[in-house]
Amino acid sequence: MKKAVLFLMIILPLATIGQHKKDNSMTHILKNKNLEIHIDMPLENYQFSRFDWTGKITSVKFKGIPVCTQEKIEGDVDNIYGKGFYNEFGIEMPIGFDDIKDGECFPKIGVGSLKKEGDSYGFSKAYEIQPAIFNVTTDTNKLIVECESQTVNGYSYVLRKEIELLESSFVIHYQLRNTGVKTITTNEYTHNFLAINKELMGSDYILKFPFDLKPESFDAALNPEEKVVVGEKQVTFNNTPEEQFFYGNLTGNKIVDAHWELINTKSKIGISETGSFKTNKINLWGWKHVVSPELFYDVNVEAGKTIEWSRTYAVFETDKREK
């Protein structure tokens, strides 16, 4: 099992400072008898250079019970950390970063143009931003956000994200159109800051995957307190971890179904994510109050082409679930 020190940067608290932020808390709510979803508008609250600004899902409740949380247990009054179901493009594959000089700009999908600073890209770094153009359309059960980029070094795009509320699930539809002259190659994932009924991680949680977990094939395994237990097809806890943990690439580079399922046996509530795609990369991060399985989608779209993918989240009561 490889324990890569470089992955420590992924699990350390993010010190993103020095960028603009707003005190406005405008939120759009999608709601039915089972689910209530809170979504921040693109130019409200979080406005930093890591996470996608389109459709920032900050909170999801199932029959009044929260199923997600935030990155920092002590809160986030400055709106600089992850929450709910924030997604990100290019955490390890910044578009065009290596082809430009310091002070020049590169595109960050769903955010805008970032000014390069330094020889290597850091996802938690507070880059100077020139925001993209955002347009929002609302419906009774949908929120649609369109992000139109500037042209930067031959790259430009239009990202359309649609968040659709169904009876006991919601779907995030993505459409990415390459309007530039260069191929866009990167990846996208949703961080999934999960906690059911605000309960800390512990023996009541079971995180399931549809493939065999082989720790010797992981890219990294950081479990300093040994409170995270990796089984044949599931991850559990023998106690509440006080320190952050991280597992890199649970698939061992094999192509698998993009799916996970988290169950809390005490609350008898579960949540799952299913991608419309296969994946060869799934990461897992967590702390005492949160667990975050991350399904990566490879983005490769030639000039003039459009790609689409989706992520479906189902929330359910385990004692009422169909066998």
Side-chain angles (χ1 to χ4, degrees), residues 25-41 55-61 136-144 163-166 170:
S25 59
M26 178 180 174
T27 299
H28 184 76
I29 298 175
L30 298 174
K31 186 175 181 179
N32 61 20
K33 65 179 181 180
N34 292 320
L35 288 176
E36 181 176 321
I37 304 173
H38 291 221
I39 310 165
D40 278 350
M41 297 294 99
K56 295 172 286 190
I57 299 175
T58 62
S59 171
V60 174
K61 293 181 180 180
V136 179
T137 304
T138 61
D139 203 342
T140 53
N141 72 322
K142 292 181 182 179
L143 177 75
I144 301 168
I163 301 170
E164 180 181 15
L165 173 64
L166 303 177
F170 61 98

Side-chain angles (χ1 to χ4, degrees), residues 76-145:
D76 182 19
V77 295
D78 292 325
N79 293 298
I80 63 177
Y81 297 107
K83 299 179 180 68
F85 297 85
Y86 280 13
N87 72 297
E88 177 181 8
F89 286 86
I91 184 172
E92 300 161 345
M93 302 172 67
I95 302 167
F97 183 90
D98 294 331
D99 301 328
I100 61 174
K101 300 175 182 178
D102 260 16
E104 296 181 332
C105 291
F106 63 99
K108 178 77 168 181
I109 297 178
V111 178
S113 299
L114 309 186
K115 182 179 288 187
K116 182 174 180 176
E117 183 181 334
D119 293 333
S120 60
Y121 176 74
F123 66 86
S124 62
K125 186 178 180 63
Y127 290 95
E128 184 178 329
I129 302 170
Q130 182 181 352
I133 298 171
F134 298 90
N135 293 298
V136 179
T137 304
T138 61
D139 203 342
T140 53
N141 72 322
K142 292 181 182 179
L143 177 75
I144 301 168
V145 183

Side-chain angles (χ1 to χ4, degrees), residues 227-291:
K227 293 179 179 179
V228 183
V229 181
V230 178
E232 184 177 342
K233 288 189 176 182
Q234 64 185 32
V235 173
T236 56
F237 301 88
N238 58 33
N239 210 326
T240 300
E242 297 296 326
E243 298 184 39
Q244 298 177 59
F245 58 89
F246 176 79
Y247 289 95
N249 204 354
L250 303 183
T251 71
N253 292 318
K254 292 184 178 179
I255 297 175
V256 300
D257 291 333
H259 179 82
W260 55 260
E261 178 179 280
L262 179 69
I263 291 174
N264 186 290
T265 56
K266 181 179 179 181
S267 297
K268 295 183 178 180
I269 291 174
I271 180 171
S272 67
E273 177 190 2
T274 303
S276 63
F277 50 89
K278 297 278 188 176
T279 184
N280 67 350
K281 181 173 182 177
I282 300 175
N283 286 350
L284 178 65
W285 171 85
W287 207 347
K288 65 185 299 181
H289 67 293
V290 61
V291 63

